[in-house]
Amino acid sequence: MAIENKKRTQADAEGSTSKKPRTNVDSSAPSASTSAPRPVPSFTSALREEETDFPRGGGSTLTPLELKQTRAEGRKEAEEEAQAEAASKGGNQKKRQVSERQVKRMKKNVGDKIKEERDKDSIRVEILNYKRLVPGTHVLARVHTVLPLHLILSLPNNLLAHVPITEISTTLTNLLNAEEAAMSISDKSNAEDDEEKEEDDESSMAPDLAQLFVPGQYVPVKVVTLYPTASQSFISQYPVTETLRLAARVEVTLVPEKVNSEVAKKDLEKGYLLVGEVKSEEDKGWTIGVGISDEDGTISVEGFVSKEEVEQYVPSKTLIPGQLLPSTIKSLTAGGRVVQLSLDPLELSRNIVGEVSTVESIVPGHCVSALITAVVPSGLNVKVCGFFDGTIDIAHLPLGEADVESKYKIGKKIRARIIYDNLATTPRQFALSALPHVLAFSSPTKEGEDVPLEHAINLGKVYQSVKVTRVLPDWGVMCRTSDGLDGFVHISHLADERVAVLSNSTGQYKTGTLHRARVIGHSPLDGVLLFSFEQKVLDQLFMQVNELKIGQVLKGTIRRLTDKSLFVDVLGSVDGIVFPTHYADIRLKHPEKRFRPGASVKARVLSLEPARNRVVLTLKKALVESQLEVPGTFADLKVGQVTPASVIKIVEKGCVVELFGGLKAFMPLSESSQTFVKNLNDIFFVGKPINVRILEITPETERIVVSAKQAAATAPATAAEKLQVGDAVNGVVSQIHEEQVVVKLEPSQLTALLSLSNLSNQRHMGIDELRSTLKVGEKIDDLVVVSKNPASGLVIVNLKRTPTGVTTKKTKTKDEKKDEAASGISRNVKAIDAIQPGQFITGTVIENTAQGTMIQLPGSIRGRVHPCDATDDLSVISAGKAPLKVDQEVKCYVLNVNKQKRAIDLSTRPSRVDSDNANAVVDKEIETVAGLKQGQAIRGLVKNVSSHGVFVSLGRNVTARIMIKELFDEFVKDWESRFEVNQLVSGKILSIDTKRNSVEMTLRKNPSKAAKKVAKLGLADFVEGQKVVAEVRKVEAYGMFLRIEGSDVSGLCHKSEISDHKKQDVSQALKGFREGDQVKAKIISIDTEKKKVNFGIKASYFGEEFAGDEDDDEEEKEDDDEEADEDEEDGQDGEDEEVDEDDEDVEMDGSDEDDEEEDEDDDDEDVQEESDDDVEVEVASAPVTKKAAKAKTAPASALDVAGGFDWSGQAPASASESSDSEAESDEEGPSTSAAKSAKGKGKSRAITDLTSTAPEARPESTAEFERALLASPNSSFLWIQYMSFHLQLHEVEKARKIGRQALEKISYREEEEKLNVWMALVNLELGFGTTDSAEKIFKEAAQYNDARTVYMRYVEALQAAGKEDGVIEEVFKKIVKKFSAYPESWTRFADFYLKKGDVDAARALLPRSMKSLDKSKHVETIEKMALLEFKHGDAERAKTLFEGLVDRFPKRLDLWGVYIDQLAKISDVQGVRGLVDRALDQKLTSKKAKFLFKKWLMIEQRIGDAQGQEKAKTRAKDWVLANTKTEEAEESDEE
């Protein structure tokens, strides 16, 4: 008798607390039936107290025994009814026959009814698929693949999903945003800010995903989005594979705030599993964000993990911010607001969630004890936490081949882990997994092994027989391999044809059938292999790129041909691609005629690209059919190996070839052919197949050098491969040299070397006698190979030693014969193996050389005694004479034995040989650089004298260099004659570089004498106005810091103290100074309280030293008096520049106004306070560096760097400077030229100071230039002078070579210096070369330097060289096309047109420029265009442009000032007066008004009249009175 159960809602389940106890049937009650009452069970069910009125899910509350008794009662009643019916119809025999069939039928019907009743009450077990996934579903996932910006996750039931890097954790997202912001800021900041920010950025750098995750890691996720096909933002970032295509359909999130958002705070108790994110590191541990917050969104619970936990359970002993951390709650503190977490992996896998208050607190990953409520063919129905329904599909039960109904019984409990929730039901149901690896949070493995299944079984493996163990209708079949591994075959992979319906009755795939299968994937979370039964998959040659081998020959079918490649189907799941250079051995003009879709081709694997899941093939017949060994990787290469290759690039000095495996190698020109080849294009073309021999391999840089010459069948190296050391050969003498004989071996015709000494010993005659008797063509037998070079094919042979010789007086013993080498090499040669370092040995002196003394040792072995190892007192050695005499027998100490080079280093120092009787050691033995100290006094022997200095041997392996300036205290011109080899010198160690094994030494007696003399000087020793020699310590935008030589006194030289001309742009000059440069400076002021010094380096401060005209200086002083007020304005250019260390205390000529007024208009733009002379548009001049400025004022043979070059010796100013000087000749006068001349001489003197050995005057010979360049190799000024020196001698080619040499010698950091040399080469070609050569140098310069600067300087050079306007115009057109974002490009072009007279073309550039330039640069461009109109065009049009500017920007006083100056230049005094009146109508500060009145008065004095001057003064007084009253009124109001 079944008890009827009904489903209840979640509200009923939570609200009902009453229990209805089950009562026994009263025996005294009247029975409604005549049948006997049902017997009472012999035991009491454990579920009686938990019985409810309406059990959830339609399940039964009966125990298995009660259910069995109920079924037995039903069968008994059915049998009784059948017997009664049979008795009423007839006799006993008929009754017996009918009752047997009826009983069977009735039994079957009863069983079916019970089964139907059971299935009716059970929950359907469903398989998870993409259709059932909905946003918000929580799933347990396993990390499948870690990509740079995404994770690919494995979901239950063979599904895949992806996670963007921004959905990992909130902390990681914040780090990424901070890193992106820092990068954008660093792009805009200068180099100094970058250095400071790099240190800050290191701490805020976001970690890579590979640092946070590993494949196989389990994580709970929440579904965010499902795509109909694929997420394009994800799949477009990586090469498309089947895995990526499937994962692109589902996007999930790992952020704890989203995954754990529904967890109830009251359900957090000890053992509860949580996955949080590492937020920050504290003193005693790390703060963990668990993502549990209140309803208002505030964080209510935070996690904390101690450092002891991390050190115990985390292999790296630390945590990374943004990392996801699975943990269990150890305890709750702070009233439940902080949970202490444990990282014990055993607790993570074993803790079981018992009770929860709400279904949302159960999260995928939780382990529960589930009660089985129903067993169905597709799995189990279970109860979770006593209340909630769940299912376990058959794929997540560890059944093997067992039946689910026989292994699992209703009422039993099993451990299972939640893998996802089903939001489609109310309340939500759960899917669980009972697989062992899911319960243990581990990877599935083969039985008896620890290797994860996805690593143990490779894709593409073929199983000849797998057994179908279970059929899952309409989904697939479960199968098992012969080695006990479970697999799954989806319905789509059962056969090549589509299987419409799959059920248990499908005969071909029913349980127990055997099939041939191939592994096509892994489902790590389900713990199964993914198989395919399809015949087309089984026939594939490979499943992934890694299964192929480089050099493997394949047959394929052409799929399609594009312009850039040919795609070939090679019966695999990857793409085969052929690039055009590998279509054939020759070039194909029409490949479409040869390659048609569907045609078969024979290809060979050239390289593999696993990341793009494709294989690169070659169709070249020479490569496909080559039998030579091909390398797979760089490690497979061997020197001497011959391998096929193809030419991919031809350069001037050789060609680049491609080897198999994607390796690139370089083939020098000398190794390209056995005959002389001038142009490689004559014998090679891109794509030509060739065989090459590996000559050189550099593993550090993966550099490969090959040779086609030595790969030929007739090449020496090829023939030498057949020879082995010790082989007996014959040969013919082909050449006779001083010490060797060149022998042609027979029959290989290889070239071999035979030592004359070896031949003379065998023939028992002297070398001279042998050389005179030996003839070319003479045949020599009994030769033996003793050495060979596999790369070059060089062979060295010796004559075999005869068994008995003429000088042999006794027969050799047996032991001596055994010791004789099989090749004929004497045992004495082998005696070197018996000599060991530290051994004492006696020998005879046979020769003294500059490199040392040669000692003849026993056994025909020679050793060498280095001069520094010959004696303890180096003064014994003098002018190459060694202390050992020829034929003297000496005792030696073995220092080193080099068996490869067969060299022995010996020592005859008494301290080594006879330490007991040795005298005091005067010169200690120096073995390594580490034995030296800086400042140490030491003696050594001159090893070599070169043009760069002297090299001194301090020991056998230690050589010191003495630079020219460190040789003498005074200048010595012919210093080389004072030194000779093995001369004894004494000096001190200057510097030691242990990494480079180099030592710097000095022979100067008092190298620091001057420094000691000035070292005591302090601030009190200097006075204002004193002229000193200073060294540049630091260069800033506002000036440079100088330090007085020989003291610690340093101060600032402000940029206003650099040049006498206020209009000059000193910023470029500042860039030309480098730290360490020497300058002459004048002390302007000394502040003894603050201990600060201000310097000046103006040329006027050193007028008498620069041979300047005194009258010019006086004129400059008068000009200074006139412009004293303007200095106040110029000093304010640096208002906004902050000076570090507060070192700039530069006093400006004061303004009478208070500082408060200066702060009123801080937001306004700085006013350009300039006189009428100061407004100048340098549209035709390029920035000139310090070195370029030197070139402009150099002596007669100097070359102009910025503009055109006068190679005759006189360097005129550039075109722009000449035009400006003409326009402003009245204002500048002779003082300007005097200042320029003074600058030029000052720069020349600075260059002279750079080398202590250079003469005082300019270099006048090659030797002097080389000496000066040795001291200053980075000076473009010197290099260009050197080029000019050769041009004056009509040696143009040498000048070119000097320019190229300069580019190699100048440091790569000196970009401006290199640029100057490049432009010198360009000017050289313009003056002495051809148009093509100049164009070639120009393009090369643009490639190696800033292209815009080169273009601007090039167009200047063309103008200076007087080239045609058409050529210059074409260059300008390229400039405005390439560099349209720079105003200078347009203004320089317009200046060219205006000077040319093409006014319309110049004016057409302005609207074009407005379209290309940024809006912030429009005002600057329009202003410069207007100035050009004033200078070369129409003044009225210029006024129109300026009127538009002042109307749009009335507060820009700099625009008013420039406009007024231009009107003054054209003597339009009325226009000036009108403009000033309009400007004064604006609301101005006192400073700005003072500027306007001063400018007005100066213009009236110059081009106006007395009435105008009086009007200006009157207007100024009125303005001051009016504004003073206004200020007083405002002050009274405030009071």
Side-chain angles (χ1 to χ4, degrees), residues 1022-1070:
F1022 300 98
V1023 295
E1024 293 185 6
Q1026 183 177 351
K1027 297 173 183 176
V1028 295
V1029 177
E1031 180 181 347
V1032 178
R1033 185 166 63 88
K1034 190 177 183 182
V1035 180
E1036 300 289 352
Y1038 45 80
M1040 56 184 176
F1041 294 97
L1042 306 178
R1043 181 178 60 80
I1044 301 176
E1045 276 198 347
S1047 73
D1048 294 330
V1049 178
S1050 61
L1052 174 71
C1053 175
H1054 194 264
K1055 65 180 183 179
S1056 61
E1057 293 293 334
I1058 292 179
S1059 174
D1060 291 302
H1061 306 291
K1062 300 169 184 60
K1063 69 176 184 177
Q1064 183 173 351
D1065 184 10
V1066 297
S1067 60
Q1068 293 296 330
L1070 278 173

Side-chain angles (χ1 to χ4, degrees), residues 1456 1459-1479 1492 1495-1497 1499-1500 1502-1503:
W1456 291 96
Y1459 192 5
I1460 292 170
D1461 289 337
Q1462 296 304 313
L1463 291 180
K1465 281 189 176 183
I1466 62 175
S1467 301
D1468 186 1
V1469 67
Q1470 293 298 333
V1472 171
R1473 292 168 182 168
L1475 274 181
V1476 173
D1477 288 337
R1478 289 166 58 191
L1492 278 176
K1495 185 180 287 290
W1496 186 10
L1497 183 59
I1499 294 174
E1500 291 288 352
R1502 194 174 60 191
I1503 62 174

Side-chain angles (χ1 to χ4, degrees), residues 71 278 324 512 961 977 988 1159 1269 1511:
R71 291 176 180 172
V278 179
L324 293 184
R961 183 184 70 167
S977 61
K988 290 185 178 180
D1159 297 333
L1269 288 171
K1511 181 180 178 182

Side-chain angles (χ1 to χ4, degrees), residues 159-341:
L159 301 186
L160 294 172
H162 71 277
V163 189
I165 194 172
T166 54
E167 290 292 338
I168 302 296
S169 63
T170 306
T171 305
L172 179 59
T173 304
N174 294 337
L175 288 174
L176 291 170
N177 293 334
E179 183 178 350
E180 183 180 3
M183 290 176 63
S184 61
I185 294 174
S186 64
D187 292 340
K188 299 177 183 179
S189 62
N190 54 28
E192 294 178 358
D193 294 336
D194 289 343
E195 293 177 0
E196 298 174 358
K197 287 173 184 172
E198 281 179 3
E199 299 178 358
D200 300 335
D201 292 343
E202 288 180 0
S203 59
S204 61
M205 287 288 288
D208 296 331
L209 289 182
Q211 298 176 254
L212 306 180
F213 297 95
V214 293
Q217 181 177 345
Y218 287 84
V219 288
V221 303
K222 186 176 182 180
V223 178
V224 176
T225 310
L226 283 97
Y227 298 92
T229 54
S231 170
Q232 295 303 318
S233 61
F234 164 64
I235 204 168
S236 61
Q237 299 187 40
Y238 308 100
V240 179
T241 61
E242 185 68 15
T243 300
L244 260 71
R245 187 180 61 80
L246 294 175
R249 294 191 59 183
V250 182
E251 181 179 330
V252 299
T253 180
L254 304 181
V255 179
E257 285 87 344
K258 299 179 181 180
V259 177
N260 299 335
S261 60
E262 299 177 356
V263 175
K265 179 181 177 181
K266 56 185 176 181
D267 288 330
L268 300 181
E269 58 184 13
K270 183 178 180 180
Y272 189 86
L273 176 65
L274 277 174
V275 176
E277 61 176 283
V278 179
K279 285 191 171 294
S280 62
E281 183 179 3
E282 307 297 338
D283 294 338
K284 297 183 179 181
W286 280 266
T287 303
I288 309 299
V290 296
I292 299 176
S293 57
D294 294 332
E295 295 180 358
D296 57 355
T298 58
I299 298 176
S300 60
V301 178
E302 284 192 352
F304 185 83
V305 60
S306 64
K307 290 190 175 180
E308 291 78 8
E309 287 279 338
V310 174
E311 292 176 357
Q312 183 177 358
Y313 298 113
V314 178
S316 62
K317 309 297 182 184
T318 186
L319 299 178
I320 303 173
Q323 175 182 355
L324 293 184
L325 191 68
S327 57
T328 56
I329 296 177
K330 186 162 59 174
S331 62
L332 285 83
T333 57
R337 294 191 301 274
V338 178
V339 291
Q340 301 291 333
L341 302 176

Side-chain angles (χ1 to χ4, degrees), residues 263-553:
V263 175
K265 179 181 177 181
K266 56 185 176 181
D267 288 330
L268 300 181
E269 58 184 13
K270 183 178 180 180
Y272 189 86
L273 176 65
L274 277 174
V275 176
E277 61 176 283
V278 179
K279 285 191 171 294
S280 62
E281 183 179 3
E282 307 297 338
D283 294 338
K284 297 183 179 181
W286 280 266
T287 303
I288 309 299
V290 296
I292 299 176
S293 57
D294 294 332
E295 295 180 358
D296 57 355
T298 58
I299 298 176
S300 60
V301 178
E302 284 192 352
F304 185 83
V305 60
S306 64
K307 290 190 175 180
E308 291 78 8
E309 287 279 338
V310 174
E311 292 176 357
Q312 183 177 358
Y313 298 113
V314 178
S316 62
K317 309 297 182 184
T318 186
L319 299 178
I320 303 173
Q323 175 182 355
L324 293 184
L325 191 68
S327 57
T328 56
I329 296 177
K330 186 162 59 174
S331 62
L332 285 83
T333 57
R337 294 191 301 274
V338 178
V339 291
Q340 301 291 333
L341 302 176
S342 171
L343 304 181
D344 188 352
L346 293 178
E347 292 186 9
L348 286 174
S349 59
R350 292 179 180 177
N351 277 344
I352 295 178
V353 177
E355 295 182 358
V356 291
S357 62
T358 175
V359 68
E360 287 83 4
S361 295
I362 301 178
V363 181
H366 283 171
C367 186
V368 297
S369 179
L371 177 67
I372 300 175
T373 58
V375 180
V376 295
S378 57
L380 303 177
N381 289 174
V382 295
K383 286 286 185 181
V384 178
C385 297
F387 291 99
F388 312 114
D389 294 328
T391 61
I392 306 178
D393 65 75
I394 203 162
H396 281 268
L397 291 172
L399 290 174
E401 298 186 23
D403 184 51
V404 63
E405 294 183 357
S406 62
K407 187 169 183 178
Y408 296 101
K409 303 295 182 182
I410 297 175
K412 287 187 176 181
K413 291 187 177 181
I414 60 171
R415 284 181 70 246
R417 197 173 294 280
I418 307 293
I419 55 175
Y420 67 89
D421 54 13
N422 187 359
L423 302 181
T425 61
T426 304
R428 70 179 64 175
Q429 297 175 357
F430 297 97
L432 299 88
S433 174
L435 296 176
H437 66 274
V438 177
L439 291 173
F441 281 144
S442 62
S443 297
T445 59
K446 292 181 67 174
E447 188 174 354
E449 297 182 6
D450 295 333
V451 183
L453 200 61
E454 56 265 35
H455 300 309
I457 307 299
N458 295 325
L459 293 180
K461 183 176 180 180
V462 177
Y463 285 89
Q464 297 300 327
S465 178
V466 296
K467 181 181 179 182
V468 176
T469 58
R470 187 169 287 101
V471 178
L472 306 179
D474 298 330
W475 188 39
V477 298
M478 303 290 293
C479 53
R480 172 162 287 207
T481 65
S482 57
D483 50 358
L485 298 178
D486 291 326
F488 173 75
V489 185
H490 193 264
I491 188 173
S492 61
H493 292 293
L494 287 175
D496 292 338
E497 301 81 15
R498 179 175 176 271
V499 179
V501 179
L502 180 65
S503 63
N504 293 321
S505 60
T506 305
Q508 188 178 357
Y509 306 107
K510 65 181 180 180
T511 304
T513 56
L514 300 178
H515 299 270
R516 189 165 174 258
R518 189 170 194 173
V519 179
I520 60 173
H522 300 89
S523 181
L525 188 62
D526 300 318
V528 295
L529 301 174
L530 301 181
F531 288 118
S532 173
F533 292 167
E534 299 168 282
Q535 190 61 39
K536 63 181 181 181
V537 175
L538 294 172
D539 293 339
Q540 288 182 2
L541 295 177
F542 53 91
M543 291 294 297
Q544 55 184 354
V545 175
N546 295 331
E547 292 183 52
L548 288 172
K549 294 182 179 179
I550 293 176
Q552 182 177 347
V553 178

Side-chain angles (χ1 to χ4, degrees), residues 1-9 20 22 47-48 50-63 66-67 70 114 116-123 373-374 383 389 410:
M1 185 171 62
I3 299 175
E4 183 180 357
N5 297 322
K6 296 182 179 179
K7 294 185 179 180
R8 298 169 51 190
T9 62
K20 182 177 179 181
R22 208 169 160 192
L47 298 177
R48 292 174 63 86
E50 299 181 4
E51 182 181 345
T52 59
D53 293 336
F54 302 99
R56 292 175 46 81
S60 173
T61 58
L62 298 179
T63 65
E66 292 172 338
L67 189 61
T70 304
I114 295 173
E116 289 176 3
E117 188 69 22
R118 181 194 66 187
D119 293 345
K120 176 182 177 182
D121 295 336
S122 65
I123 304 172
T373 58
K383 286 286 185 181
D389 294 328
I410 297 175

